[in-house]
Amino acid sequence: MKRSLLWIIVLILSMSLVASFSLYGCKEEAVEEEAAEEEAVEEEVAAEEEVAAEEEVVEVVTGEIVATFRNLENIYWVEWDEGGKEAADALGLGYSSISADNSDDKQFAAIEDAITKNPLAVLLQPNSDAIVPGIIEMLEENEIPYVTMWDVPLDLDPDEYPYWAAHVTQNAFWQGYETARILCEALGGEGNIAVIEGYPGTYCSDQRTNGLLAALEEYPDVAIIAQGTGNYNRFDTLPVMEDFIVAHGDEIDGVWTSNDDSSMGVLEALQAAGMDDVLVTGIDCVEEAVQAIIDGDMLVSLGGDAKGMHGIGVLLAFDAINGNRQADGEKVIHFAPPVVNIDNAQEYYDANFTNYEPRPWDEWSITLNPDRVLPDFVKIAEKTEAGYWDLGN
């Protein structure tokens, strides 16, 4: 009897243990299932948020912008115009351009007319420094954002004008200095050079000439034997260079020019005179000049990429009209493309002409890409006590 009772107790305890283990296992399984369900829900929410973020469209202000520049005779400005349209198209802007045809009066009147059509922004490459204050006054009065490029009077400070979004320039002094230094080195530190200036009295032309003179101070045995003005174009340069050849002939060892289009006029005159050994420098890296370097007809050019420089101006205008204007103290942008010589001319030609690909303007826009990083050739100028225009001259 006692033994039977003992077996009954053992049996009951065994059944209790089995039941306990079963309950524990079920509870653990339920917890795991609940955790798996929560994880699945979290993953689904995260996926939906990711899709929503990818599909989110940034609302931007779009419309017509107006660009005006010196002329369409110089291939540099032709490339400039192409670059502005390229950037505008990429950013969803309408684009119209106005050539000043080398006339202050025409450019001023054209901007007056453009203002009546209420453009979103104006991109101004002035025909001369003198026209800038009057144009700025018009644009400020009409509350139209604007980006200036290249030439401005040095007594103006963009920070003092609320609608002056940015100024894009290159270090013209360095351009003049570096091309002159390279020329002097190629001449072995001695010889005679002819000089073709651009538009004397404008910031860019004067700074390039000042750079040339600074370089010559370091090469006392290199002398200027002829100096004239080519107005930045081959047509005006050609007769000037022809006169130099008549006056000095084989005494000319090298020619320094203020831009590539003038260099083309110099080369035409030299080749007609059979003076193929004269070294010629240029500035702008236009297609013809780069090809001339490849062919051995030119020594060097720099400061080019007209498409890229004007495109940066359009980009800054686009960001400005969308509420992302450059802060005070950061309104001057230095554009710094490379020096092109025989060592890299073919590579430059292929990248910028033969196999040219449009820039990723949308990726460089802070409006469309808050995490944007500007390309290496774009630098924000440091505003010193002397202002923006202390270019380390």
Side-chain angles (χ1 to χ4, degrees):
M1 180 67 177
K2 288 181 179 180
R3 182 174 294 178
S4 297
L5 182 60
L6 180 61
W7 277 110
I8 292 172
I9 293 171
V10 170
L11 180 60
I12 292 171
L13 288 173
S14 298
M15 292 176 65
S16 298
L17 286 172
V18 170
S20 296
F21 283 124
S22 297
L23 288 171
Y24 178 77
C26 291
K27 184 177 181 180
E28 186 178 48
E29 184 177 337
V31 170
E32 289 177 353
E33 289 178 357
E34 184 177 352
E37 290 176 1
E38 290 178 355
E39 183 177 353
V41 170
E42 290 175 357
E43 289 177 354
E44 184 177 350
V45 170
E48 290 175 354
E49 291 176 348
E50 184 176 347
V51 170
E54 290 176 354
E55 293 179 349
E56 182 180 359
V57 177
V58 178
E59 293 186 6
V60 298
V61 177
T62 59
E64 189 83 6
I65 62 171
V66 174
T68 178
F69 42 86
R70 185 167 287 133
N71 61 58
L72 284 170
E73 300 168 356
N74 185 334
I75 189 62
Y76 179 85
W77 300 119
V78 174
E79 294 177 5
W80 180 273
D81 193 27
E82 292 171 355
K85 187 176 189 309
E86 173 193 302
D89 288 347
L91 296 168
L93 295 170
Y95 175 86
S96 62
S97 62
I98 302 169
S99 168
D101 294 336
N102 305 313
S103 168
D104 284 5
D105 291 340
K106 179 175 180 178
Q107 190 170 46
F108 195 93
I111 293 176
E112 277 187 311
D113 180 65
I115 286 173
T116 65
K117 299 177 176 62
N118 299 312
L120 288 178
V122 169
L123 290 101
L124 170 64
Q125 186 284 312
N127 185 62
S128 74
D129 296 10
I131 198 175
V132 175
I135 292 176
I136 284 179
E137 183 178 353
M138 283 196 299
L139 295 170
E140 290 285 335
E141 286 178 356
N142 287 275
E143 300 181 353
I144 297 174
Y146 54 97
V147 175
T148 54
M149 284 160 285
W150 278 119
D151 298 302
V152 293
L154 300 188
D155 59 349
L156 297 181
D157 183 346
D159 291 347
E160 296 178 0
Y161 298 85
Y163 292 93
W164 195 343
H167 178 72
V168 184
T169 189
Q170 297 186 29
N171 190 332
F173 179 93
W174 176 82
Q175 292 175 334
Y177 171 87
E178 186 64 9
T179 49
R181 185 195 67 78
I182 292 170
L183 177 59
C184 290
E185 285 292 318
L187 292 173
E190 59 182 12
N192 299 317
I193 66 170
V195 169
I196 303 290
E197 296 184 68
Y199 280 131
T202 61
Y203 164 79
C204 180
S205 179
D206 289 350
Q207 288 290 87
R208 287 175 177 173
T209 301
N210 289 341
L212 158 72
L213 297 176
L216 291 182
E217 290 180 3
E218 302 172 13
Y219 296 89
D221 294 327
V222 176
I224 296 175
I225 61 169
Q227 187 165 354
T229 299
N231 295 323
Y232 285 139
N233 73 77
R234 67 189 70 195
F235 308 108
D236 291 346
T237 296
L238 177 59
V240 174
M241 190 63 211
E242 288 174 334
D243 288 344
F244 289 171
I245 292 171
V246 170
H248 302 283
D250 292 339
E251 295 178 28
I252 302 171
D253 301 307
V255 182
W256 178 96
T257 73
S258 196
N259 78 326
D260 282 344
D261 209 55
S262 285
S263 297
M264 296 302 102
V266 168
L267 288 177
E268 184 177 344
L270 290 173
Q271 289 165 359
M275 299 172 63
D276 298 333
D277 58 343
V278 176
L279 302 179
V280 179
T281 69
I283 297 172
D284 283 342
C285 297
V286 301
E287 184 172 359
E288 286 177 281
V290 178
Q291 185 61 58
I293 295 171
I294 294 170
D295 295 340
D297 296 327
M298 265 182 72
L299 179 64
V300 68
S301 185
L302 51 77
D305 193 4
K307 289 182 180 180
M309 185 169 172
H310 197 198
I312 288 295
V314 172
L315 174 70
L316 293 168
F318 172 79
D319 283 339
I321 62 180
N322 280 284
N324 293 298
R325 197 170 302 177
Q326 292 293 114
D328 287 352
E330 298 182 352
K331 284 188 173 182
V332 172
I333 308 298
H334 282 178
F335 190 82
V339 175
V340 176
N341 55 33
I342 192 62
D343 295 329
N344 63 352
Q346 188 64 60
E347 179 183 359
Y348 186 92
Y349 191 95
D350 291 343
N352 288 274
F353 304 112
T354 306
N355 303 317
Y356 176 78
E357 293 185 4
R359 273 70 164 188
W361 297 111
D362 53 345
E363 294 179 14
W364 291 344
S365 164
I366 197 169
T367 300
L368 301 176
N369 181 16
D371 298 323
R372 68 99 182 262
V373 177
L374 288 172
D376 291 341
F377 53 78
V378 177
K379 308 290 184 185
I380 296 175
E382 179 181 355
K383 189 176 185 181
T384 68
E385 292 182 0
Y388 279 120
W389 314 119
D390 179 11
L391 299 179
N393 297 349

